[in-house]
Amino acid sequence: MAYFIELLISGALTGLMYSLVALGFVLIYKSAGVPNLAQGALVMTAGYAVWLVMAWGLNVWIAIPIAAAIMFGFGLVVERLLLRRMVGQPVIMVVMLTLGLEILLRGLVPGILGSTPKPVDLGIDFAPIIIGDVFINRTSLYGGIVALLLVGASLLFFRTRLGTKLRAVSDDHVSSWAVGISVERAIGISWGLAGIAAVVAGALWGSSQGVDWTLSTLLFPAVAVVILGGVDSVPGVVVGGILVGVLGTVIPGYLDSIAGGSTRDVVTSLIILLTIMVRPFGIFGREDIERI
């Protein structure tokens, strides 16, 4: 029983860590209506940015805000140089553009800064928290708490004047232009906010496993989270993250010894496929019905 409880807690906390990656995806979609397949590489790049600033001799709590400013600026540059050229193009072309950016960053950043894992020390003790026979990873616990705080901040943000403008841009670009909202600026800000979320995710995941190209592979479980929770739902990030984390930890915890491992990816794939087949708009996602 203790083993099951440990898997359950570990899965839920890991899922909340996934939600940090998925939040950037949702922020862009909810603000700009653009599916962003580059979020995994943004998390990796943000992790490298935190490590690089720390390598200058700065404290981690100074390095993270500086890295956040860098990634916010990077988001603005992506909109200005890449996405602005895609205005009026089919959505699928924008999706392919973000996928190309994902592949480019995944090869370019480690190629320049090195592919060996880079340490990011957040000052978190590696010794687990022990409650009875249950061991809890401290990084995952703190990461889960930070994820909940960031999701709460995102919910408050979308109630502000700027957040309302971003949601309007997501609903209809033409109508937003008509009422004087700068669609280009809104999309740039949404990418900048996704960059800030990527910094938090990159720092926490980097402190747990080191910063290298493998951080970009977090895109896979993050996509499962946003599909399950709802691609335009901020609360869905939490629920979807917990479900993906729990199922992706508990089931492999019992089946890996039988199947020989790698069942986590199978479980994640099944979550994506079954959700699309049964409820394609996710648990909390908005269902748009169009007349043909």
Side-chain angles (χ1 to χ4, degrees):
M1 187 62 180
Y3 179 62
F4 173 76
I5 294 174
E6 185 172 319
L7 288 176
L8 196 66
I9 295 174
S10 175
L13 295 176
T14 300
L16 287 174
M17 293 274 284
Y18 289 153
S19 72
L20 285 171
V21 184
L23 182 61
F25 192 110
V26 172
L27 285 174
I28 289 179
Y29 192 89
K30 192 174 180 65
S31 302
V34 177
N36 171 30
L37 296 184
Q39 190 61 30
L42 286 182
V43 170
M44 178 201 70
T45 304
Y48 270 101
V50 173
W51 167 79
L52 185 61
V53 176
M54 289 179 64
W56 297 342
L58 297 177
N59 182 277
V60 64
W61 303 114
I62 299 176
I64 288 177
I66 293 176
I70 293 172
M71 292 304 298
F72 186 87
F74 180 75
L76 296 179
V77 170
V78 167
E79 186 281 324
R80 183 64 183 86
L81 297 183
L82 300 179
L83 295 175
R84 192 169 297 189
R85 299 175 181 270
M86 303 300 293
V87 173
Q89 299 298 320
V91 174
I92 186 62
M93 300 309 297
V94 182
V95 175
M96 290 299 101
L97 177 67
T98 63
L99 180 59
L101 180 62
E102 166 81 14
I103 297 170
L104 174 65
L105 292 176
R106 184 180 294 192
L108 183 63
V109 175
I112 294 175
L113 298 177
S115 58
T116 57
K118 307 293 190 294
V120 174
D121 184 9
L122 298 182
I124 300 175
D125 191 351
F126 285 105
I129 298 173
I130 303 175
I131 302 177
D133 295 328
V134 177
F135 290 70
I136 301 175
N137 183 284
R138 291 179 187 269
T139 302
S140 297
L141 176 61
Y142 297 150
I145 294 172
V146 170
L148 292 175
L149 292 175
L150 203 58
V151 167
S154 299
L155 289 172
L156 292 176
F157 169 75
F158 281 111
R159 294 180 178 272
T160 65
R161 183 180 179 85
L162 177 57
T164 302
K165 288 182 179 181
L166 296 186
R167 286 191 286 116
V169 169
S170 176
D171 288 337
D172 194 321
H173 286 190
V174 176
S175 297
S176 298
W177 268 314
V179 298
I181 298 175
S182 174
V183 173
E184 296 85 355
R185 180 171 175 268
I187 294 176
I189 290 174
S190 69
W191 275 79
L193 293 175
I196 293 175
V199 169
V200 178
L204 285 166
W205 278 102
S207 71
S208 177
Q209 65 182 53
V211 175
D212 60 3
W213 71 271
T214 59
L215 286 183
S216 63
T217 62
L218 292 169
L219 176 67
F220 181 45
V223 168
V225 170
V226 298
I227 289 176
L228 181 59
V231 71
D232 61 344
S233 173
V234 175
V237 164
V238 174
V239 177
I242 291 175
L243 289 175
V244 169
V246 167
L247 293 174
T249 301
V250 173
I251 295 176
Y254 289 99
L255 292 186
D256 270 357
S257 59
I258 300 174
S262 300
T263 57
R264 182 191 296 266
D265 289 342
V266 175
V267 171
T268 305
S269 300
L270 287 175
I271 290 173
I272 293 174
L273 292 174
L274 292 176
T275 303
I276 292 174
M277 292 172 62
V278 176
R279 195 177 177 86
F281 48 89
I283 298 174
F284 297 105
R286 183 179 61 185
E287 182 179 11
D288 293 325
I289 300 176
E290 298 182 2
R291 294 185 181 273
I292 300 177

